[in-house]
Amino acid sequence: MSNPYFCELYVDTNEDIRKVEAALNSAAADAFSGIFVELPIYKNDNFQETSINKVPYDFIECSRYYVELGTVEQVPDQLSDFQSGVAVLVKSLRERGWFVTASCDFEDAIADVTGWNWTEGNPEPPGRAIAV
C-alpha cells in the first residue's frame, strides 16, 4: 500500500555512514521545520561495488546507503510541506556531490524541484562520470 508520508532515499557516496548521517540530520533540520520525521540510515545490502560504472545507472546497486524517511504522525495539513521538504533534503544532499534517488509516491515532485530522479527513460544522474 502506498504511503504519501514515506520515502526511501538511496544515497550513492563513498563517505562514511557517520558523515552521511550527520549531513542528513543537518539538512533535515532545515527541510522539515515544524514536522517531526524519522530518518534512520542503513547500509544497503544490495550495494555492489562492481555496479558503480555500469550503464544504465542502477541506483539500488550503486548506493551504499538507504534512508527510510517518514513523518512521525500523518497530519494531512503537513503532507505538502513534508513532500516538498523531501525535495529540499534531496537537493541539499546532491549539492554535496552525492547521487540521491527518491523512491516514493511523489517521485515526479522530487524531479520537478531537483531537476532529476531516476526513471527508466532517464536513469543517469546529472554529472555522473563513468570510468572506462
Side-chain angles (χ1 to χ4, degrees), residues 5-6 35-38 69-75 78 82:
Y5 296 90
F6 179 80
I35 301 173
F36 297 105
V37 297
E38 296 176 315
L69 173 61
T71 59
V72 173
E73 294 182 43
Q74 295 186 357
V75 180
Q78 294 180 342
F82 168 71

Side-chain angles (χ1 to χ4, degrees), residues 7-123:
C7 188
E8 284 187 336
L9 302 179
Y10 288 85
V11 184
D12 177 354
T13 180
N14 290 325
E15 297 290 348
D16 178 78
I17 194 168
R18 291 179 306 260
K19 186 170 184 176
V20 176
E21 185 174 36
L24 185 66
N25 288 330
S26 176
D30 294 334
F32 299 109
S33 178
I35 301 173
F36 297 105
V37 297
E38 296 176 315
L39 53 158
I41 184 170
Y42 304 97
K43 287 189 177 187
N44 179 9
D45 291 337
N46 295 308
F47 171 70
Q48 296 180 19
E49 185 88 36
T50 57
S51 292
I52 290 174
N53 292 316
K54 187 169 94 173
V55 175
Y57 181 74
D58 184 322
F59 68 92
I60 294 174
E61 291 181 0
C62 290
S63 297
R64 289 181 191 275
Y65 312 109
Y66 74 96
V67 178
E68 293 180 343
L69 173 61
T71 59
V72 173
E73 294 182 43
Q74 295 186 357
V75 180
D77 291 346
Q78 294 180 342
L79 180 59
S80 177
D81 290 340
F82 168 71
Q83 292 180 352
S84 55
V86 172
V88 168
L89 175 67
V90 167
K91 188 173 184 179
S92 176
L93 296 175
R94 287 184 186 163
E95 287 171 354
R96 295 174 159 274
W98 303 346
F99 297 124
V100 180
T101 305
S103 178
C104 52
D105 291 344
F106 48 97
E107 294 171 8
D108 291 342
I110 302 294
D112 290 345
V113 172
T114 67
W116 178 84
N117 201 58
W118 187 96
T119 62
E120 283 186 19
N122 187 18

